């Protein structure tokens, strides 16, 4: 186990939730970019395809609202969560299939 793994093995509940909230913020930003791209597609779409693009825009908007709600919730829970209790999270981090996400979470937790 390397030192970065050692530092995340005993992370507080508050730190873990804060790291998840930060990661969800990144997802929300990406969702916003997708919404912008679909908006541009709507403007360029022929009239017969605009209804379909509008449906997709609606789905992206719902996704963005969902991500923002979870982000806000985890952020607020992180503010009141224990900084004393420690959780071993390396196994959970290893289950993340998108390496960049796991790396950012490890990095954020190593800082805290």
């Amino acid at each position: 186990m390397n030192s970065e793994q050692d530092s995340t093995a005993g992370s507080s509940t508050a730190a873990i939730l804060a790291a998840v909230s930060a990661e969800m913020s990144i997802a929300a930003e990406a969702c916003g970019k997708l919404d912008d791209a679909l908006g541009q597609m709507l403007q360029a779409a022929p009239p017969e395809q605009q209804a379909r693009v509008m449906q997709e825009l609606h789905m992206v908007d719902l996704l963005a609202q969902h991500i923002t709600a979870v982000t806000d919730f985890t952020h607020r829970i992180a503010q009141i969560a224990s900084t004393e209790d420690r959780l071993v999270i390396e196994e959970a981090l290893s289950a993340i299939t998108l390496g960049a996400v796991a790396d950012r979470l490890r990095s954020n937790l190593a800082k805290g």
Side-chain angles (χ1 to χ4, degrees):
M1 193 183 286
N2 65 35
S3 62
E4 195 168 81
Q5 287 175 326
D6 289 340
S7 65
T8 59
S11 298
S12 73
T13 304
I16 293 166
L17 289 169
V20 170
S21 180
E23 193 60 36
M24 292 297 295
S25 291
I26 293 170
E29 287 178 36
C31 200
K33 290 178 183 178
L34 178 58
D35 185 69
D36 291 344
L38 282 171
Q40 291 174 5
M41 289 176 67
L42 178 63
Q43 292 176 355
E48 64 273 7
Q49 293 180 357
Q50 289 181 350
R52 170 86 174 147
V53 176
M54 281 298 293
Q55 287 177 333
E56 298 304 325
L57 269 167
H58 180 67
M59 290 302 298
V60 170
D61 183 55
L62 289 175
L63 177 61
Q65 290 178 44
H66 187 163
I67 290 170
T68 299
V70 173
T71 300
D72 293 345
F73 175 75
T74 54
H75 176 74
R76 286 189 175 93
I77 294 295
Q79 292 176 326
I80 62 171
S82 172
T83 57
E84 301 300 319
D85 295 335
R86 301 309 230 196
L87 298 176
V88 176
I89 59 160
E90 190 53 41
E91 186 176 334
L93 286 171
S94 296
I96 298 172
T97 57
L98 190 56
V101 172
D103 291 345
R104 278 192 302 270
L105 286 169
R106 278 188 186 93
S107 178
N108 284 338
L109 291 169
K111 294 173 191 172

